[in-house]
């Protein structure tokens, strides 16, 4: 019996756990210019957006999981007009409900300067290297962003991780937020999600965070220079910079680190604030 | 409730108050209200016909003030204690109304109704007739409470049980908190749970008898009970599943939260 080499390779690569069944990938290509406007919507499958040099938008969709009948219920609609590209994965018809165990995984490559809007429901979202305006929204999916420009993220319970952005606005209900390397302004709000902000805060840095019970940890470069205003009902303040507060009492702390060139404010009902010197 | 009100009204003995503690005699179970910002509160039910309140700072003037059918705790004349630790002893069967921003609340052998609100403090109830708990991010533990329970959180997790008897009543609502529940669900049992992304884990006594409804957008069902004939889609169960004679009701709605059913 002759066994095709491809089949042998597949078995060796897959190991003992077979990969989830998947349809053949479908792909689309649009010439948009360097500043495409890309809108991506999905429900539960992951969304992966990555910047690629050039003036084209490439879309790849793979329907994965469940039976063939499950996968057949998913439709990926992709359309492009000039600079605008819309991608939407949906299950079932407009009037019928979805009964499928499959999901669609979307991979989109865009020119770096593109303007991108991503909407997931329970989809995890990953965006890398997009320097144009970026908007990401999920209900429970996590959001991971790297090397972004002006960015806004909204989730209900999804966690948010950002590694490098010019300016950012993040709002969650209970999702935790981790930010590293934000260059200018960070506007952050959660109900109970904790926030960790890591980087240097000096000239041009502005960070404003509001939470109900979420904590804020600032892991700051030792060369940081900013004014800090912390207002709280019952949160605790931990100061790794050992600063000399101008105001420190029941309702919060006002202090200056270095020359006070940047600005950090944190308002919280019971969230703690921790300054960590790096 | 009427009995509680009557007990306070009939017994108008003045409270003995002083630095750090106060005691007042009562005829039986009472309704008591207490508020803190970040102070922790421990409450115990006792057989004694008195209410005793103490704080860990003897400089604070503590008082128990009767207002109609309820007793209110005050600290230096204010209704809210900012920080520290509070200990409260009440007659078994009393009704408790505690509120805190970030203090932890612990209630033991109360035997009466517990209404507990916390923003980020954790809540622990061991032995109440009714538990009504609301938190934002505080975790909740409820034990030895056979009556109705209502737990609402944003991200706080809840652990309930084991619940005695087949007639468990639980209403659980959360955004992302998880629920772990154990007990039996039979006649007159009603468990409802609604989450966005919080997972639900129910450990059920094999003598249980209930109908299960599970609606979800993208959550998974893990069935170790052997419900049989269950058909799950990403929208949940196509139709209610039955375990035993189907006397009680378990009604779960999640957005992306999973439901796990286990045998206790």
């Amino acid at each position: 019996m002759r066994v095709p080499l491809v089949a042998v390779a597949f078995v060796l690569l897959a190991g003992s756990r077979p990969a989830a069944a998947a349809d053949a990938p479908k792909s689309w290509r649009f010439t948009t210019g360097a500043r495409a406007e890309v809108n991506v919507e999905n429900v539960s499958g992951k969304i992966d957006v990555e910047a690629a040099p050039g003036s084209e938008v490439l879309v790849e969709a793979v329907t994965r999981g469940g039976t063939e009948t499950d996968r057949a219920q998913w439709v990926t609609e992709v359309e492009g007009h000039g600079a605008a590209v819309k991608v939407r994965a949906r299950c079932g018809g407009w009037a019928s409900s979805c009964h499928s165990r499959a999901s669609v995984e979307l991979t989109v490559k865009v020119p770096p300067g593109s303007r991108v809007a991503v909407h997931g429901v329970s989809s995890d979202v990953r965006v890398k290297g997009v320097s144009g305006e970026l908007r990401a929204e999920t209900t429970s999916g996590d959001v991971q962003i790297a090397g972004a420009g002006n960015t806004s993220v909204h989730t209900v319970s999804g966690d948010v991780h950002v590694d490098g952005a010019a300016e950012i606005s993040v709002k969650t209900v209970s999702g935790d937020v981790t930010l590293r390397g934000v260059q200018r302004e960070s506007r952050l709000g959660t109900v109970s999600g904790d926030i960790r902000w890591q980087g240097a805060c000096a000239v041009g840095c502005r960070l404003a965070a509001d939470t109900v019970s979420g904590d804020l940890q600032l892991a700051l470069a030792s060369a940081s220079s900013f004014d800090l205003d912390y207002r709280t009902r019952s949160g605790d303040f931990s100061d790794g910079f050992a600063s000399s507060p101008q105001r420190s009492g029941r309702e919060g702390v006002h202090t200056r680190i270095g020359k006070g060139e940047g600005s950090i404010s944190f308002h919280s009902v019971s969230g703690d604030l921790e300054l960590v010197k790096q | 409730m009427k009995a509680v009100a009557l007990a306070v009204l009939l017994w108008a003995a003045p409270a003995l108050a002083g630095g750090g503690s106060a005691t007042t005699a009562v005829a039986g179970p009472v309704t008591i209200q207490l508020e803190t910002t970040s102070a922790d509160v421990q409450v115990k039910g006792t057989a004694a016909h008195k209410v005793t309140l103490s704080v860990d700072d003897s400089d604070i003037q503590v008082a128990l003030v009767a207002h109609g059918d309820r007793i209110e705790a005050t600290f230096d004349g204010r209704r809210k204690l900012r920080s520290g630790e509070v200990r409260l002893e009440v007659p078994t069967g009393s009704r408790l109304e505690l509120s805190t921003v970030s203090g932890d609340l612990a209630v033991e052998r109360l035997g009466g109704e517990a209404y507990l609100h916390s923003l980020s403090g954790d809540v622990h109830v061991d032995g109440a007739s009714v538990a009504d708990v609301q938190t934002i991010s505080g975790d909740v533990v409820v034990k030895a409470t056979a009556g109705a329970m209502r737990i609402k959180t944003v991200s706080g997790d809840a652990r309930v049980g084991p619940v005695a008897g087949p007639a468990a009543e639980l209403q659980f609502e959360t955004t992302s908190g998880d629920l772990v529940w154990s007990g039996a669900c039979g006649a007159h049992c009603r468990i409802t749970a609604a989450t966005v992304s919080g997972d639900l884990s129910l450990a059920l006594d094999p003598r249980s008898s209930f109908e299960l409804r599970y609606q979800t957008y993208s959550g998974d069902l893990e069935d170790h009970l052997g419900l049989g004939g269950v058909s799950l889609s990403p929208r949940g169960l196509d139709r209610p599943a039955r375990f035993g004679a189907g006397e009680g009701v378990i009604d779960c709605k999640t957005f992306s939260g999973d439901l796990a059913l286990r045998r206790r």
Side-chain angles (χ1 to χ4, degrees):
Chain A
M1 181 180 154
R2 290 178 63 189
V3 180
L5 277 176
V6 173
V8 173
F10 178 80
V11 169
L12 289 173
L13 287 170
S16 58
R17 191 175 176 183
D23 288 348
K26 292 177 185 169
S27 59
W28 297 260
R29 181 187 294 263
F30 302 93
T31 301
T32 57
R35 294 181 185 276
E37 298 205 357
V38 180
N39 192 305
V40 185
E41 292 180 33
N42 201 351
V43 179
S44 54
K46 71 175 183 181
I47 304 172
D48 208 336
V49 180
E50 192 167 344
S55 55
E56 290 185 328
V57 171
L58 305 174
V59 180
E60 186 178 277
V62 180
T63 309
R64 200 180 289 281
T67 63
E68 204 168 311
T69 311
D70 287 327
R71 294 194 293 279
Q73 292 187 59
W74 282 92
V75 178
T76 304
E77 299 166 333
V78 182
E79 55 184 82
H81 301 286
V85 176
K86 288 185 180 176
V87 182
R88 182 170 185 252
R90 65 176 176 83
C91 180
W94 291 106
S96 63
S97 60
C98 172
H99 294 279
S100 169
R101 300 176 69 86
S103 61
V104 177
E105 294 180 357
L106 296 172
T107 303
V108 184
K109 293 195 173 170
V110 303
S114 299
R115 184 175 177 174
V116 175
V118 182
H119 308 267
V121 179
S122 52
S123 300
D124 289 338
V125 171
R126 194 174 74 94
V127 183
K128 191 176 176 187
V130 175
S131 58
E133 189 179 321
L134 169 64
R135 191 154 47 92
E137 295 176 355
T138 74
T139 300
S140 56
D142 295 337
V143 178
Q144 197 173 345
I145 292 168
N150 292 357
T151 302
S152 83
V153 184
H154 287 198
T155 78
V156 176
S157 56
D159 294 336
V160 179
H161 293 260
V162 177
D163 191 353
E167 290 190 5
I168 192 153
S169 163
V170 182
K171 287 190 178 171
T172 77
V173 175
S174 58
D176 294 334
V177 181
T178 305
L179 304 174
R180 192 166 64 175
V182 178
Q183 293 161 18
R184 296 191 294 270
E185 188 166 356
S186 306
R187 296 179 303 280
L188 315 171
T190 76
V191 176
S192 59
D194 294 332
I195 302 170
R196 185 170 197 270
W197 193 99
Q198 188 181 353
C201 186
V203 178
C205 155
R206 284 176 58 82
L207 190 164
D210 288 271
T211 74
V212 176
S213 61
D215 298 331
L216 171 63
Q217 187 196 62
L218 299 169
L220 296 158
S222 55
S224 291
S225 163
F226 59 91
D227 273 343
L228 171 69
D229 184 40
Y230 172 39
R231 295 184 193 184
T232 183
R233 291 290 300 280
S234 67
D236 293 328
F237 178 53
S238 162
D239 183 2
F241 280 78
S243 65
S244 303
Q246 295 155 12
R247 174 175 61 76
S248 176
R250 285 183 170 184
E251 303 299 328
V253 174
H254 189 92
T255 191
R256 174 167 287 186
I257 305 292
K259 295 176 186 170
E261 292 158 298
S263 160
I264 295 178
S265 72
F266 178 41
H267 297 176
S268 177
V269 181
S270 65
D272 299 335
L273 172 60
E274 182 185 12
L275 298 187
V276 179
K277 197 176 195 174
Q278 290 198 317
Chain B
M1 183 67 191
K2 279 181 181 172
V4 171
L6 195 60
V8 174
L9 291 172
L10 288 175
W11 197 269
L16 297 172
S21 69
T23 300
T24 189
V26 293
V30 296
T31 293
I32 188 150
Q33 294 177 317
L34 195 153
E35 261 184 86
T36 82
T37 303
S38 58
D40 297 335
V41 182
Q42 285 185 23
V43 182
K44 276 186 186 172
T46 72
H49 285 197
K50 64 180 181 180
V51 176
T52 302
L53 174 68
S54 62
V55 297
D56 59 346
D57 183 348
S58 58
D59 290 338
I60 295 173
Q61 292 295 312
V62 175
L64 293 162
V65 183
H67 292 286
D69 65 349
R70 62 195 164 86
I71 293 175
E72 186 179 275
T74 66
F75 310 91
D76 288 335
R78 296 192 182 97
R79 291 179 57 194
K80 192 181 279 190
L81 178 66
R82 184 167 174 80
S83 58
E85 287 184 12
V86 182
R87 286 175 194 276
L88 177 66
E89 290 186 2
V90 297
T92 304
S94 293
R95 174 190 164 105
L96 197 60
E97 296 173 11
L98 301 184
S99 171
T100 183
V101 175
S102 56
D104 293 336
L105 307 178
V107 178
E108 202 179 318
R109 297 195 303 270
L110 179 69
E113 299 174 7
Y115 296 84
L116 312 171
H117 289 193
S118 156
L119 238 154
S120 54
D122 295 336
V123 177
H124 194 288
V125 180
D126 189 350
S129 64
V130 166
D132 186 321
V133 184
Q134 293 185 37
T135 78
I136 299 285
S137 54
D139 293 333
V140 180
V141 175
V142 182
K143 294 178 187 170
T145 298
M149 279 176 247
R150 189 172 70 140
I151 300 171
K152 286 187 179 183
T153 78
V154 173
S155 58
D157 296 332
R159 180 174 286 272
V160 179
V163 177
E169 280 185 66
L170 171 66
Q171 187 186 340
F172 176 67
E173 289 176 33
T174 186
T175 300
S176 59
D178 297 334
L179 169 69
V180 175
W181 182 95
S182 67
C185 183
H188 307 297
C189 157
R190 184 158 189 96
I191 296 170
T192 63
T195 84
V196 176
S197 57
D199 296 330
L200 307 170
S201 173
L202 309 179
L204 288 142
D205 188 293
R207 290 166 295 181
S208 294
S209 159
F210 59 88
E211 187 177 277
L212 173 71
R213 299 166 194 161
Y214 176 43
Q215 288 175 265
T216 185
Y217 199 85
S218 59
D220 289 328
L221 173 65
E222 191 184 323
D223 173 26
H224 297 286
L225 278 181
L227 289 170
V230 168
S231 172
L232 183 75
S233 79
R235 300 289 192 222
L237 293 172
D238 289 340
R239 55 188 167 79
R242 179 170 282 210
F243 186 79
E247 292 161 293
V249 174
I250 298 177
D251 190 350
C252 301
K253 290 179 182 143
T254 78
F255 192 82
S256 57
D258 299 334
L259 169 62
L261 300 173
R262 295 188 171 82
R263 204 170 276 264
R264 212 186 129 212

